[in-house]
């Protein structure tokens, strides 16, 4: 750990538990053992508010992945895990949820230090969301069942279906909600009876490694949950290709998702892809402008804009356009730009110097393409990868800031006149992750909902997420669902059983 980070942890009074975790050598968790990479390679882990080095973690190899697959297979193909009764799986999942909750403050600090996000939001959203996800899925194992049917064909049959777990599931996780996204994938897979191998993003592997310690403490049999850290191009690519893995569940960018999907389908794996977005927001002329402005600002600037379903394209009905923009700018001014460990932080740094460069490049492109920067957009010199939230007005559909996912605190706005125009602007994108409507006119809201090409539609809110509701995109935002009972369908096979009766 370099002195920049040490001073930062001192300044904000980071807990002893977190310091102890950060001080010890990081290892991968494979088959219940803590191991280095097969070739001894490591990668550096940085803290985004200072840019300083925190620690190192093993950079896994294809051989490491192979060991994890063998362990996960052994448990799945008739191992101890496979023989557990549903209520025993529930008990383990509940115990894990309890341990995560007990260590919630420490996990929130680790997340804030590794990813740069607000420690307050990390505790309230990421960690609480992780606990809730494990609790929700803990209730499912005893409630998974097929159905008995009465066929109409000639003859006498007992016909029924069985729900069976898919097998070994590989989870490839991005850096924006590291622990929570991992939880979405792992909790459901374990509830279904699968075994799992997780590859966290290199930028944010620490909370997942701490999580693995809690998996061990909870008493899961060795090899049921494995964590292989390292490069996406090595571990992620090897996961998509490995014949011993039955499913890859991927959250990340559209181009990498396409590659994962191509490889996975090439060897007939199941695949779920949760990809990028450029989600539209429609503010209708009857909306409560003050509360809409708060929700819209939160919907795009939360997590410093590094949110897949962020409502980044804001279309406002012309008669209220200027008044709404004034409200939006006023709310945005109140959002505190600060280091992640500052308890009042709303906008933390970008996750990396590279991400800051990409976002700053888009702000520059917006200016060049003729959009009007009406608020923010400054990129202070380091330390830390900070960018002020930016609001562009008078944007046109051809601009790159309107078409491409930026994954930073940048919002584009333009006016519309009719609802038909609003729908056509909203759907003018290859993505389809989410959409939001601000209005209290029920007839107009219900007319709009079916017309929007999006996996989630939020009304007078943004990014409301709960484990009981499915999440996942249409179009280039991917396919398959995380969360809700729907996710379990993507983690189980249905077997049709026919028994001839006399
Ligand atoms: P990314 O570059 O696609 O990375 C996502 C994960 O894939 C990381 O763990 C990465 O590992 C790994 N990876 C990289 N190359 C790979 C390869 N060739 N094969 C297999 N895996 C590979 O995305 P990101 O930049 O980290 O995350 C931001 C993106 O995720 C945005 O586009 C965002 O919209 C999307 N996202 C979507 C959702 C959703 O639910 N729809 C949620 C959150 C984020 P390394 O980084 O360690 O190399
Ligand atoms: Mg980091």
């Amino acid at each position: 750990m370099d002195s920049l980070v040490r001073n930062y942890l001192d300044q904000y009074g980071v807990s002893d538990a977190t310091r102890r975790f950060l001080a010890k050598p990081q290892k991968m968790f494979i088959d219940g053992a803590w191991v280095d990479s097969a070739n001894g390679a490591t990668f550096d882990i940085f803290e985004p508010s200072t840019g300083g080095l925190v620690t190192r973690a093993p950079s896994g190899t294809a051989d490491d992945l192979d060991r994890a697959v063998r362990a996960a297979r052994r448990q799945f193909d008739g191992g101890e895990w496979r023989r557990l009764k549903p209520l025993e799986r529930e008990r383990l999942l509940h115990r894990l949820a309890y341990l995560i909750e007990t260590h919630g403050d420490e996990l929130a600090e680790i997340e804030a230090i590794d990813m740069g996000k607000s420690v307050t939001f990390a505790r309230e959203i990421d960690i609480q969301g992780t606990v809730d996800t494990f609790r929700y899925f803990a209730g499912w194992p005893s409630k998974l069942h097929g159905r008995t049917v009465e066929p109409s064909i000639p003859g006498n049959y007992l016909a029924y279906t069985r729900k069976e777990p898919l097998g070994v599931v590989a989870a490839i996780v991005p850096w924006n909600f590291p622990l929570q996204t991992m939880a979405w994938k792992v909790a459901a897979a374990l509830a279904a009876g699968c075994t799992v191998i997780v590859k966290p993003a290199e930028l944010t592997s620490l909370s997942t490694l701490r999580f693995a310690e809690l998996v061990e403490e909870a008493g899961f049999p060795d090899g049921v949950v494995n964590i292989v850290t390292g490069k996406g191009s090595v571990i992620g690519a090897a996961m998509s290709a490995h014949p011993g893995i039955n499913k890859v569940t991927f959250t990340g960018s559209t181009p990498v998702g396409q590659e994962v999907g191509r490889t996975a389908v090439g060897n007939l794996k199941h695949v779920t892809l949760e990809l990028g977005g450029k989600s539209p927001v429609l503010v209708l002329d009857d909306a409560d402008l003050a509360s809409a402005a708060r929700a819209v600002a939160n919907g795009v600037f939360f997590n410093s804009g590094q949110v897949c379903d962020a409502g980044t394209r804001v279309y406002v009905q012309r008669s209220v356009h200027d008044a709404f923009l004034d409200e939006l700018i006023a709310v945005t001014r109140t959002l505190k730009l600060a280091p992640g460990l500052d308890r009042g932080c709303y906008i933390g740094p970008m996750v990396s110097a590279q991400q800051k460069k990409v976002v700053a490049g888009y702000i520059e492109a917006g200016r060049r393409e003729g959009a009007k920067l009406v608020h923010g957009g400054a990129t202070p010199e380091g330390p830390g990868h900070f960018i002020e939230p930016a609001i562009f007005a008078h944007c046109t559909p051809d601009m790159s800031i309107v078409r491409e996912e930026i994954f930073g605190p940048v919002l584009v706005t333009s006016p519309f006149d009719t609802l038909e125009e609003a729908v056509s602007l909203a759907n003018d994108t290859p993505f389809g992750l989410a959409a939001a409507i601000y209005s209290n006119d029920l007839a107009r809201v219900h007319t709009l909902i079916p017309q929007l090409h999006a996996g989630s539609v939020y009304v007078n809110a943004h990014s409301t997420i709960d484990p009981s509701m499915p999440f996942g995109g249409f179009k280039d935002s991917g396919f398959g669902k995380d969360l809700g009972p729907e996710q379990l369908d993507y983690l189980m096979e249905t077997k049709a059983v026919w028994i001839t009766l006399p």
Side-chain angles (χ1 to χ4, degrees), residues 28-35 71 74 216 220-226:
M28 300 187 282
F29 187 59
I30 298 177
D31 199 7
W34 294 94
V35 296
R74 191 189 70 239
E216 187 178 33
F220 282 82
D222 293 349
V224 171
V225 178
N226 305 273

Side-chain angles (χ1 to χ4, degrees), residues 44-48 54 113-116 202-206 351:
D44 292 340
I45 291 181
F46 294 101
E47 191 291 313
V54 182
I113 290 164
D114 200 3
M115 193 275 172
E202 282 166 289
L203 286 172
T204 54
S205 294
L206 288 177
V351 72

Side-chain angles (χ1 to χ4, degrees), residues 173 175-176 199 202 232 236 250-253 274-276 308 405 407:
V173 180
W175 45 260
N176 55 341
K199 193 213 91 65
E202 282 166 289
F250 171 88
T251 297
S253 62
E274 303 277 3
L275 308 176
C308 51
E405 181 180 48
F407 228 58

Side-chain angles (χ1 to χ4, degrees), residues 381-444:
E381 286 299 312
H385 317 306
F386 292 93
I387 293 200
E388 270 183 15
I391 300 176
F392 281 102
H394 305 293
C395 300
T396 53
D398 52 302
M399 293 174 175
S400 64
I401 54 169
V402 175
R403 303 217 67 78
E404 295 167 27
E405 181 180 48
I406 298 175
F407 228 58
V410 182
L411 181 157
V412 302
T413 65
S414 62
F416 69 86
D417 290 302
T418 64
L419 290 200
E420 289 73 34
E421 191 189 350
V423 168
S424 121
L425 286 166
N427 290 337
D428 181 18
T429 171
F431 296 112
L433 193 53
I437 304 167
Y438 291 88
S439 168
N440 292 304
D441 180 335
L442 280 179
R444 294 203 292 172

Side-chain angles (χ1 to χ4, degrees), residues 1-23:
M1 182 181 297
D2 66 29
S3 57
L4 220 54
V5 179
R6 193 167 301 114
N7 294 341
Y8 175 57
L9 304 195
D10 288 345
Q11 184 186 350
Y12 289 100
V14 161
S15 69
D16 289 343
T18 297
R19 286 167 195 270
R20 267 198 305 278
F21 173 72
L22 296 180

